[in-house]
Every structure is written in structure tokens, then in C-alpha cells.
Amino acid sequence: MSNKELLLSTALSLFAERGYSAVGVQEIVDSVGVTKPTLYHYFEGKKGLLEEIIKRKTSVFVQVFFQAAEYHHDLTYTLQKMMKAILAFAKQDPVFYRYFTSLRFSPMNSVEKTCVEPVYALIDKKLQSLFVSSVNEHGNLRGKEDIQTVTFWGFATEIAYLVLDGKMEETESSVYHALRQFEFGIYS
């Protein structure tokens, strides 16, 4: 593994374990066995390192999620496809998934928030577009697109955590029934 890759994987492990602000550049380079100039050769500091981690780890997921979120007049089916995409993302790299989802709740002007917010803005925009598109078939959803966006993401994140923690078995049936509970809430 190259020094660049070692810096990325080590930084992710340390950030996920203790938080971004609790980890210094010196600790990262010492853990990898390189010097600070090596880190600065690849990244513009610790923030650049975090930005690269987020970019690399989310780029494929965002594409897959966007494909899953394409609405073809069947909201249940679309929600199932999105849930499967989220679960696959979570299971592919549980350490990153947990860290990524936690970053959404970082303080407003923190480095972590500024690094992760562009990705969440894309996800939120796509979710909101889905719920706006579904209004023609589900008129009672009109005007609730913002709340549906955040509640779906929160719901999906919690389901992913249950699966990762071994508290819910991921089967077609369990995902379907969990999504039905979500749908009963949004249709009421």
C-alpha cells in the first residue's frame, strides 16, 4: 500500500475512533511511519485528508444511490432500492459509514461539517426530488417533502445500524416490513 493510501486509511481509523479534532497530524504521520512533509505532499493538511476520505468513500455510493432513487411511479419499490443501496454502502465499510453518518451532527461551522455537507446536500436534494415527484400519486405527501427527506435518511441510517450491530437480520422481508412502517407514517 502506498504512503498516500496508508495516510488515508490510518486517518480514517483514528478519526472514526476518537473524532477529527482529537487527532493531530503528528499522530497520523507517526502511525504511518512517514513525516509531515509526506502528508503535505499528498494533502493540504488534515482537512484535505478528511475531504479526500469523504470524496473517495462516497463517490460510488452517491452514484448508486441516485440510480436507486430514480422514481418510476412506484414509491415503495423506489424506497426499497434506496434502502438496499444504503445497506450495501454501510456493510461495505462499516467504520466509514458510522463515521460519515455521525459527521452530519457535527457543529455548524466545524471542519467536519464543512467537509461532509456537500455530500449530504446532494443526497437531500435527490431525496426531496423523489418525494416531490411522488406527489402526483400520493397527494397527501404534498408540502411535506423536507420532513420526508430527513425522516427517510434518519430511518434508513437507523436500520443500517441495526443490521451492522446484528440486531436486525437483513432479509427481503425484514427490509420490506421496516419500509412499510415508514410508509404508514408518511401516508398518514
Side-chain angles (χ1 to χ4, degrees), residues 31-48:
S31 295
V32 173
V34 298
T35 61
K36 283 184 182 180
T38 302
L39 183 140
Y40 293 119
H41 170 75
Y42 295 115
F43 311 102
E44 293 182 17
K46 191 167 83 163
K47 180 181 179 188

Side-chain angles (χ1 to χ4, degrees), residues 11 23 27 33 82 103 116 121 123 157 174:
V23 176
E27 182 179 1
M82 291 187 315
L103 291 178
V116 79
I123 292 168
T157 299
S174 66

Side-chain angles (χ1 to χ4, degrees), residues 140-151:
N140 59 327
L141 302 181
R142 188 178 321 279
K144 302 174 187 172
E145 295 87 352
D146 288 341
I147 195 70
Q148 292 158 353
T149 295
V150 296
T151 56

Side-chain angles (χ1 to χ4, degrees), residues 32-103:
V32 173
V34 298
T35 61
K36 283 184 182 180
T38 302
L39 183 140
Y40 293 119
H41 170 75
Y42 295 115
F43 311 102
E44 293 182 17
K46 191 167 83 163
K47 180 181 179 188
L49 193 54
L50 179 60
E51 288 170 331
E52 183 68 16
I53 291 167
I54 291 168
K55 178 181 158 192
R56 283 184 177 209
K57 296 284 189 175
T58 62
S59 62
V60 172
F61 166 69
V62 168
Q63 292 173 2
V64 170
F65 184 77
F66 272 40
Q67 290 171 350
E70 285 299 316
Y71 184 62
H72 300 286
H73 306 285
D74 186 343
L75 187 56
T76 298
Y77 178 66
T78 305
L79 293 172
Q80 286 175 330
K81 290 191 310 181
M82 291 187 315
M83 190 70 229
K84 286 179 183 178
I86 291 166
L87 287 169
F89 176 53
K91 292 186 327 186
Q92 176 187 348
D93 192 343
V95 171
F96 176 74
Y97 181 78
R98 289 176 190 277
Y99 183 58
F100 173 70
T101 54
S102 75
L103 291 178

Side-chain angles (χ1 to χ4, degrees), residues 1 24 54 57 70 85-86 115 126-127 156 162 167 175 186:
M1 190 180 297
I54 291 168
K57 296 284 189 175
E70 285 299 316
I86 291 166
C115 290
K126 188 62 175 178
L127 280 170
L162 289 171
K167 295 179 180 176
V175 171
I186 66 170

